[in-house]
Amino acid sequence: MKKVLCLIMALGFAVMSLGCGVEIADSNGPDDYTLAEITEENIINQDLGASSYSMSPGSEDDDYMTSTTKFKGKEFSGVAQLYMTNYIGKSDVSIDVSNLTVDSGNFALMVLLDGEIVHEFKHGELMETFEMKDIKGTFEIVMAGETADFKFWIQVW
């Protein structure tokens, strides 16, 4: 009887957790990929959570270096931190973003330094590199989306 009760509880928890993702509608139309509902404050505070995206290391098949990570999402909504580090001494950092494409919804990929947005990557670029010299503090790469179908490859070095 205990096993049956545990199984029922586990099944109930699994069913309940399926609907727990953030969902933010694309309210500015199919041809405008800029964020409409998520604010800069949401991005900086990362107070929304996120759903429906995956990451995987690059491979030889992708024609990119294996140290590159691929991110993609179907109906991704919310704000997700992809990378974070604290630089105690002055440091240099470079970010390469390849093939940032958005097929639907709204999407933004940005760099933050000490809680301030310092760069947003452009959609549709084959390759974009952003470099920062002699920085100190908390460095983050964050993405935000409103039911976005997207993909890109990223390398931080």
Side-chain angles (χ1 to χ4, degrees), residues 18 21-23 38 46 48-57 69-84 100-101 106-109 141-154:
L18 287 175
V22 174
E23 186 173 331
I38 296 175
Q46 298 174 33
L48 294 176
S51 65
S52 301
Y53 76 95
S54 65
M55 64 178 273
S56 59
T69 303
K70 179 181 182 180
F71 287 89
K72 65 180 179 177
K74 278 267 196 222
E75 297 189 10
F76 165 71
S77 288
V79 177
Q81 179 187 72
L82 306 180
Y83 183 88
M84 192 275 293
L100 173 56
T101 57
N106 305 323
F107 184 81
L109 177 65
I141 300 173
V142 175
M143 67 179 180
E146 299 163 351
T147 59
D149 290 353
F150 72 91
K151 70 179 173 183
F152 63 90
W153 286 259
I154 189 167

Side-chain angles (χ1 to χ4, degrees), residues 50-116:
S51 65
S52 301
Y53 76 95
S54 65
M55 64 178 273
S56 59
S59 69
E60 303 286 332
D61 297 339
D62 293 330
D63 291 331
Y64 295 102
M65 296 169 39
T66 56
S67 61
T68 302
T69 303
K70 179 181 182 180
F71 287 89
K72 65 180 179 177
K74 278 267 196 222
E75 297 189 10
F76 165 71
S77 288
V79 177
Q81 179 187 72
L82 306 180
Y83 183 88
M84 192 275 293
T85 192
N86 288 304
Y87 292 110
I88 297 169
K90 290 188 176 189
S91 300
D92 298 342
V93 65
S94 293
I95 307 105
D96 293 331
V97 174
S98 304
N99 295 325
L100 173 56
T101 57
V102 181
D103 295 324
S104 65
N106 305 323
F107 184 81
L109 177 65
M110 54 205 74
V111 175
L112 284 73
L113 183 62
D114 287 333
E116 185 177 320

